[in-house]
Structures are given as C-alpha cells and as structure tokens.
Amino acid sequence: MDHCAALFFCLCLVTSQSGTAEAFRESLRWMKKMEVVPKRRTLTSFAWLIHGLEGRLLNASFKGYNLTLQTSTIQTLAFKLGCDFAGLSLNSTALEPVPQDRAPHAMQFPAELTRESCRDRPTELRLICIYFFTAYFFKNDINSSLLNNYILGAQLGHGHVNNLRELVNISFWHNQSLEGYSVTCVFWKEGASTRHWGVWSPEGCRTEQPSHSQVLCRCNHLSYFAVLMQISPAPLPAELLAPLKYISLVGCSVSIAASLLTILLHFHARKQSDSITHIHMNLHASVLLLNVTFLLSSTLAMPSVPGSACKALAAILHYALLSCLTWMAIEGFNLYLLLGRVYNIYIRRYVLKLCAVGWGVPAFLVLLLLAVKSSVYGHRAIPLSDSQGNGTGFQNVSICWVQSPEVHSVLVMGYGGLTSLFNLVVLAWALRALHRLKAREKAPGTRACRDTVTVLGLTVLLGTTWALAFFSFGVFLLPQLFLFTIFNSLYGFFLFLWFCSQRCRSEAEVKAELEAFSSTQTTQ
C-alpha cells in the first residue's frame, strides 16, 4: 500500500513538472511567434498577439516566486503576489540581458497596487511585466520617436489598475544626453484610434528628468509605457515658472473682472450702443472666455483628472483663442471701413454677419479637427530645466492644449501671424491717415495728448502685442516671455481702459454740443 502511495505521489510530481514545463514552452513559443509575424498585419492581429501573451503569462503555473522568459526583442516576467505585498522594484541590470536591450530601465510598484484586489477577493495575485524592445506592435500616427524603442508594460491579474494614489515609477535611461529634446511619458490607450489599435496618450502620467540621460515617468495606472522624443528648443529655466504663473494668474484675473465690468456697463447703457460698440463687446466676450479657459488649463492637466475633460478644455481654449484673434481682425477691418470709407459704409445686417465670422469660423475649424482627429487635443508638455547643486535636472509641466505640432503651426502660429500682420498694416495705415488729418487741421499742441491716447488705444484694440509671440528665440526669449505674458494677460484690462476713454470722450462731445446749442439759443 505504501508502495502504491509513493508511486502515485511520484506520478503527480512528474505530471505537475511536465505541466509547468509545457506552460513555459507555450509562452515562449508565443513570444517567438510574435517576432516572426508577417509585415502586413491587421489592427486586431497586434492586439490579439499581445493579449494572447498576457493570457498565457497570467495562466501559467510555475514554481517559486517569479518566472522570466525572453527572446531577442521581448522579455517577460511573472510574479506571485499576496495581500501582504510591500512593493517591488525591478531593474534591468539585475535581469539577464536581452540582445536588443541597449540601455537600462527600471520599474517600481507601490504597496497600494494590490489593496483594491485584496479588498474584493483576497487570493494570490499575478503581476506580469512585458518589455518590448521594438515599437513594431505599437505603431501610431505621431511625429515623434520612442526613446530607445522601449515599451515597458505591466498588468495585475485580468483587471485594470487605475487612479493609484501612490504612483508607479518607470525609469528610462539613454546612453547619450537628451538635451535639446522634448520628452513626454505616455501610455498605450487601446481602442482610442480607428486607424490603429491604440494611441499614445500622456493621461495620468507625469514626466520628470532627474538627469540629462534619464526620464522618470510617474503614472497612476498600469499599462504599456514609453517615452516620446521630439527635437525642441532649449527648455525654459524652471525658476521662471513661478513668476510667469503669478503674472498670468494676476493678469488674467484682472482681465476677467475688467471684461465682465465692461459687458455689464454695456448692457446698462444699451440705448447708446451701435455697431462699433457691439464689435467691442464681442471682442470682450472672446477675451473673457480665453482668460477663463487658460486659467483652468493647467488645473485640468493634473494626472487625477480624466483625459476627456482635458481634451474638451483644450478644444474650448483653442476655440477661444481663434475667436479672440478673429475679432481682433474684425476690429481692424471695421477701422478700415470707418477711416477709408467715410460715406456709404452701410452694410445690411452688418453685426450679424460679423458674428457669423467671429464665432462661426473658429467653431467650424475646431469641430473639423475633432471630427477628423480628436487626438490633436490633450496634455501638452512644456520642458523645464532645473539647475540645482552640481547637475541639471529636467521636468515637464503640462497644460490642456493642442498636441499636434502641425495643427499648432497652422491654426495657432499661422492664424495668429496672419491676424497680427493684417492688423499691423491697418494700424500703420490708420496712423498715416490720422497724421494727414492733423496736418490739415493744424490743431494746437493740446491735441498731442489725445493723439497719443488714440494711438495706444488702437494698438491695444487691434491686438498687435500678440505679435511678440514670434520673437521667442535667442536673446529675445526671456524678455519676450515676460512682455508677452504681461501685455496679453492684461489685454482685457487694456480694452476696458479703451472703452472707458471712448465713453468719456463721447460724453464730453455730447456735453460740448449741448453747451453750443444753449449758447446759440441764448444769443437768439
């Protein structure tokens, strides 16, 4: 009887070992199969291959605490975790090298990782890590390259891990300095594209650069992570961030209050309004929308905020900017009509047509972008350099803005450039016309002050200070940053001053006409 029990035990042991070995071989065969996939594959094929590998690793049985498998371009790790999990640090230097693994990388998982799963079903958990040293399976329409072509992925069981308070740290190193590049931590967002089986998205991730050659990604979820690289201008000094943010906050807040007050004063004195005043009020409304959305853009770019909210705000911010630029151009066009066509300037439903252009054209452009490719909006990383101690660190701050460099070049810089050029031409022509009028009237020197106010008012009204955006290079960069931030954050306030000066001037003219009329009546 004892011999039978021993024989049965040995049979079970052999069967178990053969099953474990078969699980190893099946996962390894699948990894090798992925390396020799045909060049022409459908979108679902890539997802099917990767999900197939994930399922085999999650269901594989193995002895001990962990399992490691690798081929020339793929490396996989599987770990058995319990509810007493205290965290895990993985470093490529402690793993067997892979032929395509040219630079080190690391992942650090917090203790919070298993808490949610253990609260629902306190059983043994499986953490798998899949490292791809090729970007072949993650093709996307991006004008960027992946750092080292590394994609580091992690998954806990068959569920999703999101909204971690203790962030997952993923480190990438490069064998050369990354100065001169804009780097952004991203994850693979499956199902977010119709042309590919996913897109790279920065949602829920924060990008830091502790050194010239290291990128640290701090993310609140598990997925496949990578670092996008783009050649960019030198990063801005991090010590300038605080004063620029303070100037923007104060300036935009003052402009918001000034625009609201101007609109309220307009409604209070509506009986005196004409087409010019209506145009001014529409410009104030666009500036008000622009300032409000701009102040919210950095708040909604936080990792804890859903990516859809940031994308929506980025689209609204872009719309507000385009509307503001369009109404500036309309102000220039209206000024040309006033000074160039003194007679016969009546246009049927003039203000209504201008509103269709000022609000409708930007809306059409933004909606077209959202319909064609909604991924143009989202988190936009701004690289900063932070000089501390003996070295220089790098980090990114994010705002909700246009992500696509092409869209930014055409529908931000290009649109703004055309508007600024048109208004500068109109301003030069208007100043020439005013100079001719002054020479003809030979007015006394007391008019010089009024002319100065008129010139400054027209400069503000036409938004010519926005042309400072095109001087962000070389020695002009730092002065341009502060001048652009000061003038354009206070743009609504300057418009309010112009509105007040025009209102005071009109009241003074009405008063002078009344006095002239009364003196005429007295003489009679």
Side-chain angles (χ1 to χ4, degrees), residues 261-468:
L261 183 59
T262 306
I263 294 172
L264 290 175
L265 289 173
H266 164 66
F267 281 111
H268 179 68
R270 196 164 185 173
K271 59 183 180 180
Q272 301 176 4
S273 64
D274 53 13
S275 62
I276 300 175
T277 308
H278 281 299
I279 294 172
H280 292 345
M281 291 308 107
N282 279 282
L283 178 58
H284 272 287
S286 64
V287 172
L288 176 63
L289 179 62
L290 177 62
N291 285 320
V292 171
T293 51
F294 178 76
L295 289 180
L296 292 174
S297 63
S298 59
T299 304
L300 293 189
M302 300 295 289
S304 57
V305 178
S308 57
C310 184
K311 181 177 295 187
L313 182 68
I316 297 173
L317 178 58
H318 189 206
Y319 169 72
L321 177 63
L322 294 179
S323 298
C324 187
L325 293 172
T326 306
W327 280 108
M328 290 176 194
I330 289 173
E331 288 279 9
F333 173 74
N334 189 63
L335 181 63
Y336 166 74
L337 291 183
L338 289 175
L339 295 179
R341 298 178 58 189
V342 180
Y343 303 104
N344 193 28
I345 130 180
Y346 175 75
I347 299 175
R348 188 168 180 266
R349 294 181 178 177
Y350 180 54
V351 175
L352 183 62
K353 292 176 180 177
L354 291 181
C355 287
V357 174
W359 298 109
V361 171
F364 172 76
L365 293 174
V366 172
L367 290 175
L368 181 64
L369 286 175
L370 288 171
V372 173
K373 189 179 180 182
S374 62
S375 60
V376 299
Y377 297 112
H379 293 75
R380 177 68 179 265
I382 302 173
L384 299 172
S385 63
D386 186 12
S387 300
Q388 293 180 347
N390 298 324
T392 302
F394 296 84
Q395 59 179 339
N396 286 348
V397 293
S398 295
I399 62 171
C400 300
W401 184 229
V402 177
Q403 287 183 317
S404 170
E406 293 82 9
V407 173
H408 187 272
S409 299
V410 176
L411 287 181
V412 176
M413 300 303 293
Y415 200 96
L418 289 175
T419 301
S420 298
L421 180 62
F422 172 73
N423 281 355
L424 283 171
V425 171
V426 171
L427 178 64
W429 179 83
L431 293 180
R432 186 183 175 197
L434 289 174
H435 178 71
R436 285 181 176 180
L437 184 63
K438 180 182 177 182
R440 190 184 309 159
E441 293 180 356
K442 296 181 180 180
T446 54
R447 178 158 179 154
C449 181
R450 289 179 58 189
D451 290 342
T452 303
V453 172
T454 301
V455 170
L456 291 175
L458 291 176
T459 303
V460 170
L461 187 67
L462 299 179
T464 51
T465 55
W466 290 80
L468 289 169

Side-chain angles (χ1 to χ4, degrees), residues 17-35 48-61 67 69-71 74 76:
Q17 289 177 344
S18 64
T20 302
E22 180 59 29
F24 289 172
R25 287 194 293 268
E26 174 61 21
S27 298
L28 199 56
R29 276 198 301 267
W30 193 267
M31 292 165 62
K32 291 180 179 178
K33 176 183 178 181
M34 294 175 67
E35 288 189 326
W48 176 71
L49 286 169
I50 292 177
H51 292 328
L53 178 58
E54 293 170 352
R56 282 161 175 78
L57 291 172
L58 289 172
N59 296 324
S61 57
L67 167 69
L69 300 172
Q70 62 187 46
T71 59
I74 305 174
T76 61

Side-chain angles (χ1 to χ4, degrees), residues 37-89:
V37 291
K39 293 297 180 183
R40 293 186 178 181
R41 278 273 178 174
T42 62
L43 304 184
T44 54
S45 296
F46 289 128
W48 176 71
L49 286 169
I50 292 177
H51 292 328
L53 178 58
E54 293 170 352
R56 282 161 175 78
L57 291 172
L58 289 172
N59 296 324
S61 57
F62 54 90
K63 287 186 175 182
Y65 169 68
N66 65 295
L67 167 69
T68 303
L69 300 172
Q70 62 187 46
T71 59
S72 60
T73 59
I74 305 174
Q75 186 175 47
T76 61
L77 301 92
F79 299 90
K80 296 177 181 177
L81 304 183
C83 292
D84 57 348
F85 178 68
L88 176 65
S89 294

Side-chain angles (χ1 to χ4, degrees), residues 178-197:
L178 295 172
E179 284 188 281
Y181 289 91
S182 173
V183 292
T184 306
C185 293
V186 290
F187 81 99
W188 188 254
K189 190 173 184 179
E190 187 175 347
S193 172
T194 55
R195 298 186 57 188
H196 304 279
W197 70 283

Side-chain angles (χ1 to χ4, degrees), residues 120 212 236 253 296 309 408 495 524:
D120 296 337
H212 288 291
L236 299 175
S253 301
L296 292 174
H408 187 272
L495 286 178
Q524 292 177 354

Side-chain angles (χ1 to χ4, degrees), residues 103-122:
H105 53 85
M107 298 187 80
Q108 183 179 10
F109 302 95
E112 185 193 352
L113 190 68
T114 61
R115 287 177 190 168
E116 191 66 29
S117 299
C118 288
R119 189 180 298 118
D120 296 337
R121 49 186 187 281

